[in-house]
Amino acid sequence: MDGLTRVSIDFETSHLVFPTIIGTVLLLLGAAIVATRWRRFAGAAGYWSGIFAAMDKFRFFGTIVLTLVYFLLMVPVGNFWPNTGMGFLLCSIPYVALCGLLFLRERARPALAVLGIVSIVSPLLVWWVFAYVFFLTLP
């Protein structure tokens, strides 16, 4: 009976519980969708080839590359200042700026000034809210 009142938490893996549950649920839901609507997916090859031919490949693949680099650099940069959220902050500012530049149609000075302000203020605001309002540290 003494063991019922004791809780031990493995902090090395405890943060993986909810992402694992959510990922499993999403995989099961995706499998259910494919199982119930497989005929629609089988006939969609022509539709998707047309979409792929008409899409802006530079922006699409540029966003994917920027996001991968962002996620890959966040933890190593954050390891220089552990438990401060500096990895998030220092990687988010250039990520928002580069994504903004990637999707900006006309690069006039006013638009670039707004993009510069947004790329600095928004990550700072998110970092501050998580750190000082919710008491959560980001990577």
Side-chain angles (χ1 to χ4, degrees):
M1 287 300 275
D2 187 43
L4 292 175
T5 60
R6 295 194 181 190
V7 176
S8 65
I9 297 173
D10 182 12
F11 288 105
E12 294 294 323
T13 59
S14 64
H15 65 285
L16 300 174
V17 171
F18 286 111
T20 303
I21 291 170
I22 291 170
T24 303
V25 168
L26 287 175
L27 282 174
L28 290 173
L29 289 173
I33 290 170
V34 170
T36 57
R37 299 170 192 233
W38 63 272
R39 286 186 184 98
R40 292 178 80 185
F41 290 115
Y47 172 77
W48 287 110
S49 64
I51 294 291
F52 187 72
M55 74 182 220
D56 188 349
K57 292 174 188 63
F58 179 72
R59 287 188 172 118
F60 178 75
F61 291 113
T63 303
I64 290 174
V65 168
L66 282 174
T67 304
L68 286 174
V69 169
Y70 171 66
F71 283 127
L72 289 174
L73 287 179
M74 197 181 312
V75 172
V77 171
N79 285 339
F80 286 112
W81 303 277
N83 301 322
T84 61
M86 284 295 146
F88 168 81
L89 186 60
L90 295 177
C91 289
S92 294
I93 292 171
Y95 175 74
V96 172
L98 290 173
C99 279
L101 281 174
L102 190 65
F103 284 95
L104 205 57
R105 293 269 181 206
E106 296 177 20
R107 294 184 174 99
R109 282 185 178 250
L112 291 174
V114 169
L115 177 62
I117 292 168
V118 166
S119 64
I120 292 171
V121 171
S122 59
L124 272 171
L125 183 65
V126 170
W127 173 77
W128 181 83
V129 166
F130 273 91
Y132 295 103
V133 176
F134 297 128
F135 301 107
L136 296 172
T137 57
L138 296 167

